[in-house]
Amino acid sequence: MKILVTGGAGFIGSNFVIHLLEKYPDYQVVNLDKLTYAGNLMNLRQLEENPGHTFIQSDICDRDTVGELVSGVDAVINFAAETHVDNSIAKADVFIETNVRGLNVLLDEARRHSVPRFIQISTDEVYGSIEEGSFTEDSPLQPSSPYSASKAAGDLLCRAYATTYGLPVIITRSSNNFGPYQHPEKLIPLFLTCALEDKKLPLYGSGSNVRDWIYVKDNSEGIDLILHEGKPGETYNIGGGNEKTNLEITELILHKLGKDMSLVDYVEDRPGHDLRYSLDCRK
């Protein structure tokens, strides 16, 4: 297979590209990434001599480049996105630009070039918060932040292209990822680096917000399965079955590093902070 991966120098994207080329050494991966602050070529250093990997620095909003790269591929997998909720609250524009307009360019060019498979990497945050039970793929989208709203808009755009044009789109929605190459703005690497330097860990509110955590390489396995066996037009939840409060994660990090809770700084909760995410992943 020849696959166009967008956002493949970011956290989840780079882990997936490495997974794909290790498991399928005869595959060709064209890796398109804008290299914003969240993209890092060092994530891909082990592929520097791999003939199956081609890196292109560009923007998914660049229609000419996208059209050229989409031509002749067997699949497009879109990891490219702005993802940090706090940044979206401060300034939503770039989230709309990349997560909606950029996705629209990808969908347009995939349709124009009759790409056999298009996988949109989404998030459990599009469902909003749930007090009891778990979200299924048929749960309504009720995003709470500009970030999750932009991803929900992208999911609906994918659905529209599948329904109107027959584009073979599949959507994946994963829970909170953790693992190698994650940017230190995210909770686990931020708290790890702060604790290692004996700096305060800024914990929102009381730390009672619940997240389901999945190791990024397990998510890569799920996306791999969907790439090869998923049904076009469907959505698939990918979760880890590891629900923990942010306070529990904080306590675990401090315990493992031999630090105490005096490093925790309880800060004002962010606006619209979802209380709990939970995915039903039976599908």
Side-chain angles (χ1 to χ4, degrees):
M1 294 183 75
K2 183 179 181 181
I3 300 169
L4 173 62
V5 174
T6 63
F11 165 46
I12 303 178
S14 61
N15 275 281
F16 179 75
V17 169
I18 292 167
H19 162 84
L20 205 62
L21 288 172
E22 285 181 346
K23 188 171 180 180
Y24 310 103
D26 58 334
Y27 279 20
Q28 296 290 315
V29 174
V30 179
N31 187 347
L32 170 64
D33 198 293
K34 188 179 179 180
L35 292 183
T36 65
Y37 77 94
N40 190 345
L41 284 178
M42 287 299 290
N43 297 351
L44 302 163
R45 59 190 179 275
Q46 70 189 75
L47 300 178
E48 287 178 356
E49 305 300 323
N50 192 313
H53 181 248
T54 302
F55 180 79
I56 306 291
Q57 183 176 355
S58 189
D59 189 339
I60 60 171
C61 293
D62 182 341
R63 186 175 294 275
D64 291 339
T65 299
V66 168
E68 181 180 343
L69 296 179
V70 161
S71 178
V73 301
D74 298 297
V76 174
I77 308 178
N78 180 38
F79 291 90
E82 295 288 338
T83 65
H84 195 44
V85 174
D86 288 354
N87 290 348
S88 80
I89 294 172
K91 188 174 176 60
D93 299 29
V94 67
F95 287 77
I96 304 303
E97 179 73 6
T98 299
N99 300 354
V100 182
R101 196 175 83 80
L103 172 59
N104 186 58
V105 170
L106 286 172
L107 291 166
D108 265 348
E109 293 304 313
R111 178 172 71 93
R112 189 164 71 90
H113 291 279
S114 301
V115 170
R117 183 158 291 221
F118 188 108
I119 298 180
Q120 166 68 359
I121 307 301
S122 189
T123 170
D124 61 355
E125 296 191 39
V126 299
Y127 296 120
S129 186
I130 187 168
E131 291 187 13
E132 296 180 354
S134 300
F135 292 116
T136 71
E137 290 83 356
D138 295 321
S139 296
L141 305 188
Q142 296 180 313
S144 303
S145 69
Y147 159 61
S148 57
S150 71
K151 292 297 287 185
D155 287 6
L156 294 175
L157 200 56
C158 287
R159 178 182 174 87
Y161 269 71
T163 302
T164 303
Y165 304 114
L167 188 67
V169 178
I170 301 173
I171 298 170
T172 74
R173 294 178 182 144
S174 72
S175 57
N176 281 40
N177 281 236
F178 70 98
Y181 315 135
Q182 189 167 29
H183 192 277
E185 68 186 359
K186 304 295 187 179
L187 187 141
I188 289 179
L190 173 63
F191 281 18
L192 280 168
T193 51
C194 285
L196 286 167
E197 298 174 1
D198 290 317
K199 295 180 179 178
K200 289 290 187 179
L201 281 58
L203 183 63
Y204 280 131
S206 63
S208 59
N209 304 77
V210 177
R211 300 294 181 260
D212 172 31
W213 294 92
I214 184 171
Y215 187 51
V216 65
K217 295 186 179 182
D218 293 329
N219 190 19
S220 293
E221 290 279 3
I223 298 166
D224 176 5
L225 177 66
I226 289 162
L227 169 65
H228 292 93
E229 298 185 32
K231 182 180 177 182
E234 294 292 328
T235 298
Y236 297 92
N237 289 339
I238 306 176
N242 295 303
E243 291 188 30
K244 293 186 182 297
T245 66
N246 290 343
L247 180 59
E248 287 177 315
I249 292 291
T250 304
E251 291 171 338
L252 178 61
I253 289 170
L254 291 172
H255 173 72
K256 291 293 184 181
L257 294 180
K259 310 286 184 176
D260 61 54
M261 291 294 288
S262 65
L263 286 178
V264 178
D265 182 19
Y266 293 93
V267 299
E268 182 180 354
D269 207 357
R270 72 178 178 216
H273 199 176
D274 288 325
L275 178 62
R276 176 175 176 259
Y277 300 140
S278 181
L279 291 179
D280 182 327
C281 301
R282 287 175 292 179
K283 181 176 176 182

